[in-house]
Structures are given as structure tokens and as C-alpha cells.
Amino acid sequence: MAPILLNCMGNEHDDYIKTEVHVKNPHLDSMEEDILYHFNLGTKTHDLPRMFGDVKFVCVGGSGNRMRAFAQFMHQELGLLGDVGDIRDICEGTDRYSMYKVGPLLSISHGMGVPSISIMLHELIKLLYHAHCRDVVLFRIGTSGGIGLSPGTVVITDHAVDSFFRPQFEQVVLGKVIVRSTELDEGLAGELLLCSKAFPEQPTVIGHTMCTHDFYEGQGRLDGALCSFSTEEKLEYLSKAYDAGVRNIEMESTVFAAMCRVCDLRAAVVCVTLLDRFQGDQISTPHDVLVEYQQRPQCLVARFIKKSLGLVE
Ligand SMILES: O=P(O)(O)O[C@@H]1C[C@H](O)[C@@H](CO)O1
Ligand SMILES: O=c1cc[nH]c(=O)[nH]1
């Protein structure tokens, strides 16, 4: 069947998105078996098309508990039959990641930072490919530090940028640096912004998200075990980031955007800000407020999913 033109993301290699999830690795098809080691799943040991063939939405976030809670929340939101207490961790044979399936949704934890989410994404994209999934949309739903925004603001990422504010992800492969674009699906970001109108009490913006390789010095914090700069230098850097369009800082968006883009997967990054980094570094917000903040990206993405499934207007 001819590929269907779904959007114009300006991908220099392909102007279309193929509906079936595909991988960009010519070696995979000649392998007799593919062991998804960190998921404790494999093509010979598990019937991946039967287990995952109906997956349409994948939501990823740092913590296993948060992603289990999200799966339970979605079970209710989608009006699925059965007890939420019965939703089990598909990856319980390993403690690297947690994975929950509710209807057409997979909810998976990815740990903290680029290497951790990158390993998870390699295995996730292969899983979707082996399972012959079609028309899958991926979301990273997480937390972040805001720049010039009131805490609790939800940021929908248009471009994930690196610490130099460049919309790219660099990966060292065989001793050479490969540079990949981190542009995300503009249409999807716009649809999410429309969905946010249903939550007038939670401010939502579209902006650049800076992805760093560290929470402390790497994000210009003065409160780590090491600090090599002054308060003035910190504020100057954050102001430069703001002027470049950066509205929040987290630790996974560039590789998430880059890998999804290479595999032509529609993807979005939706993170709530826990604090305004112009005001401080420590996250001192009370626990119950933080819990409510963390639910904001979940509610927004839940609304998008329900809208896509025709469950709400
Ligand atoms: O998905 P989460 O909210 O865990 O992601 C952010 C970025 C880092 O992984 C972590 C730092 O606290 O939170
Ligand atoms: O400041 C923050 C808050 C959450 N996650 C981050 O990476 N940075």
C-alpha cells in the first residue's frame, strides 16, 4: 500500500509518515530473535502482536509509581471494565522500567536522563514494530523547572533544545558525533493546546524545552554538591535561555524528540513546571501541591486521547 501523506513535518528524508511503526535498522530483520532485555520481553518468548498490536498511545515519564497511577487514572477515564488494582507491571521480571497497558494505551517509566530514556525508547520502538502497531502517538509527560513562568504551568514543547539552545541531539556513534533534529510535531502540539482550554485553571503555553544532562550544575543550580559559577552568571544564562524561547528545563526531551522523529512517530513533550528558576533552585513546594502539578500533563494528555477516541467533544 502506498504511504499516506499525513503531515508536512519538513523531514529531509521523508515527507510522509508511514502508518505502521518502523525502525531504522537494516540488521533487525535478519535476527532470528530480538530480546528486549530491559523490558524482559522477546520475540520468541512473547506474542508481541497479540500483547501489544492494538496500542495507539504511549505515555512515558520518569517514575514507575507515577506511570502506574497514570495507567489506573486512564483505566477510569476510558471507562474500561475490570479492577484498576489488577493492572499489572508487564516488566515485573526486571526492575529497570515499569510498563502498564490499559486498552490502547501503554504507560511506561523511563528513569532519569538521556541514557535511561534512550535505552527504553530503543526497546519500545522495536516492541511497537514487532507488534505491527499502527498510527501510534507518543507523549512524554513529566516535570520540569520553569523559566519566567508561574509554578504549575504546563509547557507543550515545540522544539527540544540542548544546553546551547540548539534544536538538536548529539549522539556519539563509533567515535563520531551524529546530529539529529529535535523538532516535534507542530500539529500535535497545537491540538494539545486546544485541549488545554478544557482546563482554564491550569496555565498552558507552547515553548522550547531545554534538555540537560544534569539536574544541578547542568541546569544552572547553585545548590548542588559542586558549583562553579556565581548567582549573576546563573541568572545571565537563564535570561539568555528565556530570550532564545526556552520556557522550561528537563532531562529527556531531546533524545525523545530525535528518536521519534527518525522513526516518523508523532510525538509530544508535555511537562509541568515545579518552580520558576529565576526565583530559586530548591523544590520547596508542599508535597500535595507537587502531586497535583504532576497530574496536569496527565489530565491534558488524557483529554487528547479521549478526544481522539471520540469519547469527548
Ligand atoms: O519525568 P520526570 O518528571 O521524572 O522528568 C524530570 C527530568 C528528570 O528526569 C527528573 C529530575 O527531577 O524530572
Ligand atoms: O528543575 C527541574 C524540575 C524537574 N526536573 C528537572 O529536570 N528540573
Side-chain angles (χ1 to χ4, degrees), residues 58 60 110 117 121 137-144 154-161 182-185 188-189 192 204-211 248-258 260 266-272 297 300-301:
V58 181
V60 304
H110 56 59
I117 192 175
L121 286 172
V137 189
L138 274 75
F139 303 89
R140 166 165 148 67
I141 45 176
T143 62
S144 61
V154 174
V155 180
I156 303 166
T157 307
D158 53 3
H159 285 91
V161 299
T182 53
E183 195 178 332
L184 285 152
D185 188 322
L188 181 57
L192 285 162
T204 305
V205 299
I206 289 190
H208 299 354
T209 295
M210 181 161 76
C211 176
N248 64 338
I249 314 175
E250 47 76 271
M251 297 177 60
E252 292 85 14
S253 56
T254 49
V255 71
F256 174 81
C260 290
R266 288 188 93 197
V269 176
V270 185
C271 290
V272 71
L300 180 54
V301 169

Side-chain angles (χ1 to χ4, degrees), residues 104-131:
L105 169 81
L106 267 191
S107 177
I108 313 175
S109 68
H110 56 59
M112 286 195 284
V114 162
S116 184
I117 192 175
S118 154
I119 295 166
M120 191 283 287
L121 286 172
H122 275 282
E123 296 185 13
L124 168 66
I125 295 169
K126 291 197 297 173
L127 181 154
L128 298 172
Y129 166 72
H130 291 309

Side-chain angles (χ1 to χ4, degrees), residues 163-165 210 218 232-241:
S163 301
F164 305 98
F165 321 135
M210 181 161 76
E232 292 69 34
E233 286 169 319
K234 163 198 157 172
L235 292 174
E236 190 190 344
Y237 180 67
L238 293 182
S239 295
K240 276 193 187 148

Side-chain angles (χ1 to χ4, degrees), residues 220-290:
R221 276 189 158 81
L222 299 162
D223 62 343
L226 316 177
C227 187
S228 51
F229 46 83
S230 66
T231 305
E232 292 69 34
E233 286 169 319
K234 163 198 157 172
L235 292 174
E236 190 190 344
Y237 180 67
L238 293 182
S239 295
K240 276 193 187 148
Y242 186 89
D243 292 343
V246 176
R247 293 294 175 269
N248 64 338
I249 314 175
E250 47 76 271
M251 297 177 60
E252 292 85 14
S253 56
T254 49
V255 71
F256 174 81
M259 289 183 72
C260 290
R261 189 176 161 84
V262 170
C263 293
D264 296 333
L265 285 161
R266 288 188 93 197
V269 176
V270 185
C271 290
V272 71
T273 62
L274 301 183
L275 74 170
D276 178 1
R277 291 296 318 290
F278 280 131
Q279 307 302 323
D281 297 334
Q282 296 253 304
I283 300 176
S284 52
T285 311
H287 180 72
D288 56 327
V289 178
L290 288 179

Side-chain angles (χ1 to χ4, degrees), residues 57 59 74 78 105 301-309:
F57 308 98
C59 294
M74 287 306 297
L78 299 178
L105 169 81
V301 169
R303 173 127 197 129
F304 174 90
I305 291 173
K306 287 196 293 178
K307 204 169 161 196
S308 306
L309 296 172

